[in-house]
Amino acid sequence: MDIALFVAQLVVVLGCIVMGTRSSGVGLGLWGGTGVAILVFGFRLAPGSPPVDALLIVLSVVLASSMMQAAGGIDWMVSIAAKLIARSPKQITLVAPLVSFLFSVGAGTSNILYPLLPVIQDLSYRNGIRPSRPLSLSVVATGVALACSPVSAAMAAMVTLTDTAPWNFELIDILKVTIPAAIVGIVLSSVVVNRLGTDIADDPEIQAKIAKGELAAPHADAQEVKAAVTVTAAGRNAALIFLLGVAAIVVFGLFKGLRPLDAEGSAISMTPVIEIVMFVVGTLILLLSRPKVAEIPTMTVFKAGMVSAIALFGLAWLTDTFLGAHTKLIADGVGGLVTAAPWVFALGVFLVCVLTTSQSTATRTIVPIGLAAGIPLGLLSGMWAGAFAGIYLLPTNGSQIAAANFDTSGSTKLGTKLVDHAFFLPTLILAVTTIAAGALFGALWGG
């Protein structure tokens, strides 16, 4: 293979990713498809395989979760999360990120965080804790949560890559590494993040606002704050049905004997199981909670999910086309480097997350390279999870902007130099701690 030709094709791939990043949203998918056209018609490469299985999982999960949202299920989950956070206000820098993480895992989306932000801000400030600490880590924690959720788009991409021969590394194998790694990472990060920034009593900007009457002084005995959501019985039922569906997926992952058999007498893979369970979940929500079906396409979860699916389609097809033509070269050339320094793989996932703010895109772009390089799957899964924090390295994400706007004390800053914002250090800290924990757990009981 002519190295110049390989480099030219790599430039096309990277160029399309960069252009897609600049366009964002569905632009990622469009540029990915355009890159496929250039490789196929310009360089005469065989087109790769579109990520059909991953797309079908995303579509089924998005449909079910949108049904839940339309029925009020996410509002109910937010109200429960707010109560859990309010129980331990003094430890909010630990509790708020953990609760945000757990509920994002259950819902398969970080969007559940938005209504919690004013709750976190108010409780931390009233108890004399700098709001930027729990707010920043809670935002970043929802990023790694998607590597631990059976129903996230990123997990859909990961499962369809690893749950096949010769790897046969299934959903439960991934979760047993990523979940404990993320929890350890959050706990360790909270210890460090709780020391970032000046305390409220010593912050001249906050004290100046208090002195001018622009901001009330912290009072822990103020009236209890509640999430600005409406809780209904239908919403509660929808959320419980959805969470039972998530639990069912985990059970099917744990016990292969519960799955139907394929034509060869083996248990079917988790890909169709996830799709089937999510369709049943959506139908049960439709029957019991009766959301307005016509409103489903207007739900924020639906819109975000469709954008993710389009981006996944285009970019995953692009990378598969490129990698399929150069598998041996990449395995031989990159394999030794990654084997000697596995952190290079984590850095790759982290950087793609930074550039695209999409964990599913980073998964379909970098994980195939790690697989081709022969990284042990337990180690790969652990590093993959921690690198997801990278989507918050730059202050461009909606939840970061929302957190800064909700923080009336002004402690959660977006900065002006890309590296001076409140989320920069928590992102790096959580990424490092989770990657380290993931590498440990992956070595202990990973594949």
Side-chain angles (χ1 to χ4, degrees):
M1 167 58 66
D2 186 348
I3 296 299
L5 195 60
F6 172 84
V7 171
Q9 294 168 10
L10 178 61
V11 169
V12 170
V13 173
L14 296 178
C16 287
I17 292 175
V18 170
M19 293 302 296
T21 301
R22 294 178 63 181
S23 302
S24 73
V26 297
L28 283 165
L30 292 173
W31 275 103
T34 300
V36 173
I38 296 172
L39 294 180
V40 171
F41 292 100
F43 292 93
R44 298 297 177 179
L45 298 186
S49 301
V52 175
D53 287 339
L55 286 172
L56 293 180
I57 292 178
V58 171
L59 292 177
S60 62
V61 170
V62 166
L63 178 59
S65 55
S66 298
M67 294 290 290
M68 174 183 66
Q69 185 182 24
I74 287 185
D75 287 347
W76 181 82
M77 293 176 69
V78 166
S79 70
I80 299 299
K83 292 177 182 178
L84 292 174
I85 293 171
R87 287 182 179 178
S88 304
K90 293 295 185 181
Q91 288 77 43
I92 195 169
T93 305
L94 171 63
V95 175
L98 281 176
V99 171
S100 301
F101 165 81
L102 291 174
F103 277 79
S104 294
V105 168
T109 174
S110 58
N111 289 335
I112 195 171
L113 178 66
Y114 284 90
L116 290 176
L117 293 174
V119 177
I120 297 170
Q121 188 278 332
D122 187 85
L123 285 172
S124 58
Y125 182 77
R126 283 202 279 112
N127 286 274
I129 298 169
R130 187 178 180 86
S132 62
R133 296 167 180 169
L135 283 173
S136 62
L137 189 55
S138 295
V139 168
V140 180
T142 63
V144 298
L146 301 191
C148 307
S149 174
V151 290
S152 70
M155 185 62 78
M158 186 67 165
V159 168
T160 54
L161 288 170
T162 62
D163 188 14
T164 55
W167 299 286
N168 299 316
F169 200 69
E170 296 196 338
L171 172 67
I172 199 65
D173 298 312
I174 299 170
L175 294 178
K176 71 183 182 183
V177 175
T178 60
I179 290 178
I183 291 175
V184 169
I186 292 171
V187 172
L188 294 177
S189 297
S190 70
V191 175
V192 180
V193 172
N194 202 37
R195 290 167 170 76
L196 295 180
T198 308
D199 291 336
I200 288 178
D202 301 320
D203 189 306
E205 292 184 14
I206 295 178
Q207 291 303 314
K209 289 183 179 181
I210 294 174
K212 293 178 181 178
E214 298 175 1
L215 190 66
H219 291 292
D221 58 349
Q223 185 178 4
E224 180 183 359
V225 65
K226 298 181 179 179
V229 294
T230 302
V231 179
T232 64
R236 177 200 61 202
N237 295 338
L240 292 176
I241 292 170
F242 187 86
L243 293 175
L244 286 173
V246 174
I249 290 171
V250 174
V251 170
F252 280 120
L254 280 170
F255 305 103
K256 286 187 177 181
L258 296 177
R259 304 182 213 165
L261 303 180
D262 58 21
E264 299 177 355
S266 302
I268 63 174
S269 73
M270 284 302 296
T271 297
V273 169
I274 295 172
E275 295 162 0
I276 292 168
V277 170
M278 285 294 101
F279 271 109
V280 172
V281 164
T283 303
L284 290 175
I285 292 174
L286 177 64
L287 291 174
L288 298 178
S289 297
R290 298 191 176 281
K292 295 180 180 179
V293 178
E295 295 180 356
I296 300 303
T298 67
M299 295 293 104
T300 56
V301 170
F302 188 89
K303 293 177 181 178
M306 290 302 102
V307 170
S308 296
I310 293 169
L312 175 63
F313 182 15
L315 286 182
W317 196 9
L318 170 63
T319 54
D320 193 80
T321 299
F322 176 74
L323 294 174
H326 306 294
T327 300
K328 188 177 186 304
L329 178 64
I330 292 171
D332 294 341
V334 180
L337 175 63
V338 173
T339 301
W343 58 267
V344 172
F345 167 80
L347 180 62
V349 177
F350 184 88
L351 290 177
V352 175
C353 282
V354 172
L355 293 173
T356 66
T357 65
S358 169
Q359 293 99 327
S360 56
T361 298
T363 301
R364 291 295 306 199
T365 303
I366 304 298
V367 169
I369 297 176
L371 295 174
I375 301 178
L377 287 170
L379 177 62
L380 182 146
S381 298
M383 294 190 297
W384 168 74
F388 274 13
I391 68 169
Y392 297 115
L393 188 70
L394 302 179
T396 56
N397 195 281
S399 57
Q400 293 169 295
I401 297 171
N405 289 335
F406 278 122
D407 186 359
T408 54
S409 73
S411 66
T412 307
K413 300 181 183 299
L414 294 177
T416 58
K417 301 179 180 66
L418 295 183
V419 297
D420 59 344
H421 57 91
F423 307 90
F424 187 79
L425 288 178
T427 293
L428 294 178
I429 294 166
L430 184 58
V432 170
T433 54
T434 304
I435 288 171
L440 174 61
F441 291 127
L444 288 176
W445 55 70

